[in-house]
Amino acid sequence: IVIPNSVTEIGQSAFRDCSGLEDLTIGNGTLTIGYGAFSDCIELASVKLGNKLESIESYAFSGCIHLTSINFPERLKYIYGNAFVNCDALTEISLPESLMSISSEAFAYCDKLKTVNFSEGLETIGNRAFAGCTKITSIVIPNSVTEIGQYAFEDCSALEDLTIGNGTLTIGYGAFSDCIELASVKLGNKLESIANYAFSGCIHLTSINFPERLKYINGNAFVNCDALTEISLPGSLMSI
């Protein structure tokens, strides 16, 4: 399918379950890809998005199990919930500076996703946005992100290294729970709160810093972190 430049919007479920579709090119006039527009296009492998795209709605490409190649243009602002859930063949994504929000489960359970390149400009990572992405090995959260949602990276079982930028104020409930290979965590210097179960079950975690603005470490935040041998808590900390 080639969508012409004159098309500004692709409607809900417009091409849903077009099971023979392999290649998709969306023209430079399209601003929005609607809810479920290409969901369950199980043979879709290659997607070229136009350069004026601003919004990818919920479930737009969900269940596109053979999708291996997609670009994210420089005007894209929003990727909504479950937009790429269960896109099992995706291995790498590069997200533009224009992107402000990744919503709930946007890339959840993308089993082969190994590399995620975030850019400065992103503000929020939603609940379970990358949950169950079992091949991701390293994550760097940009300074522009203020909040990491609940279970955002839960069960990213290959994740080894995590760096959280200096703009993040809150790490959400269970955000990195059961990341069983996570060994090293660098927390940003503006972090104020680590929510319940944030790093629970990170059984190989050996190194983590606690920044000077941290106020709260909530219940079970580090429960069953069996490899931790030493922690230094800052004077700002009010409650454990």
Side-chain angles (χ1 to χ4, degrees), residues 30-32 52-56 73 75-79:
T30 300
L31 303 177
T32 301
K52 291 184 180 178
L53 187 69
E54 296 182 354
S55 174
I56 301 173
R75 295 191 186 184
L76 184 65
K77 295 179 181 179
Y78 306 105
I79 299 175

Side-chain angles (χ1 to χ4, degrees), residues 97-125:
E97 292 182 3
S98 57
L99 188 66
M100 299 169 63
S101 175
I102 302 171
S103 294
S104 299
E105 297 193 31
F107 293 94
Y109 312 111
C110 292
D111 294 343
K112 293 183 181 178
L113 184 61
K114 185 176 181 179
T115 303
V116 180
N117 298 310
F118 296 106
S119 295
E120 293 291 341
L122 183 65
E123 297 175 3
T124 59
I125 299 175

Side-chain angles (χ1 to χ4, degrees), residues 1-138:
I1 294 172
V2 178
I3 306 294
N5 293 332
S6 56
V7 173
T8 59
E9 183 176 353
I10 300 171
Q12 294 186 16
S13 302
F15 297 92
R16 180 183 178 186
D17 200 25
C18 288
S19 56
L21 178 63
E22 297 179 1
D23 296 290
L24 169 65
T25 299
I26 293 178
N28 291 329
T30 300
L31 303 177
T32 301
I33 299 174
Y35 184 109
F38 298 94
S39 60
D40 297 322
C41 292
I42 58 174
E43 295 299 326
L44 183 60
S46 175
V47 175
K48 296 178 182 177
L49 300 177
N51 59 27
K52 291 184 180 178
L53 187 69
E54 296 182 354
S55 174
I56 301 173
E57 299 294 321
S58 301
Y59 293 95
F61 293 94
S62 66
C64 294
I65 59 175
H66 289 120
L67 180 62
T68 58
S69 174
I70 186 169
N71 66 303
F72 294 98
E74 288 301 325
R75 295 191 186 184
L76 184 65
K77 295 179 181 179
Y78 306 105
I79 299 175
Y80 286 100
N82 298 274
F84 294 91
V85 67
N86 294 324
C87 288
D88 298 339
L90 268 181
T91 60
E92 181 175 356
I93 56 173
S94 294
L95 302 171
E97 292 182 3
S98 57
L99 188 66
M100 299 169 63
S101 175
I102 302 171
S103 294
S104 299
E105 297 193 31
F107 293 94
Y109 312 111
C110 292
D111 294 343
K112 293 183 181 178
L113 184 61
K114 185 176 181 179
T115 303
V116 180
N117 298 310
F118 296 106
S119 295
E120 293 291 341
L122 183 65
E123 297 175 3
T124 59
I125 299 175
N127 299 344
R128 298 186 186 272
F130 294 89
C133 293
T134 57
K135 294 292 191 295
I136 295 175
T137 57
S138 178

Side-chain angles (χ1 to χ4, degrees), residues 185-202:
V185 175
K186 296 177 183 177
L187 300 177
N189 58 27
K190 291 184 180 178
L191 187 68
E192 295 182 354
S193 175
I194 301 174
N196 302 63
Y197 293 94
F199 293 93
S200 66
C202 295

